[in-house]
């Protein structure tokens, strides 16, 4: 497996379980951009420490709407 270092990574579905797990593995050495419709307090991403990391930015938008992204 190729590792990622020093990259900017866009993760769609960024508030979900898989995104949270992937983000935890990538955040130390990459800039992460998490995109999702909703980052409400009940989303899996809130059960990790990802959102407090300075390497993470979140965007609430619908990827299907080009005017938002």
């Amino acid at each position: 497996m190729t590792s990622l270092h020093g990259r900017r990574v866009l993760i769609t579905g960024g508030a979900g379980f898989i995104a949270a797990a992937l983000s935890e593995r990538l955040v130390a050495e990459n800039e992460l951009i998490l995109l999702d419709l909703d980052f409400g307090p009940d989303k899996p991403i809130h059960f990790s420490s990802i959102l407090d990391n300075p390497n993470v930015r979140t965007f609430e938008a619908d990827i299907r709407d080009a005017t938002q992204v």
Side-chain angles (χ1 to χ4, degrees), residues 1-60:
M1 180 172 122
T2 304
S3 59
L4 295 173
H5 300 285
R7 303 291 181 131
R8 181 176 297 145
V9 181
L10 170 66
I11 301 175
T12 59
F17 176 76
I18 294 172
L22 180 60
S23 295
E24 287 176 342
R25 299 200 66 180
L26 296 176
V27 73
E29 298 182 13
N30 298 286
E31 177 185 347
L32 303 182
I33 301 168
L34 306 179
L35 176 73
D36 208 323
L37 291 173
D38 179 25
F39 283 91
D42 61 330
K43 300 296 183 178
I45 195 74
H46 288 281
F47 298 103
S48 71
S49 61
I50 295 301
L51 295 178
D52 295 331
N53 192 301
N55 289 345
V56 176
R57 291 187 294 162
T58 62
F59 291 95
E60 286 189 1

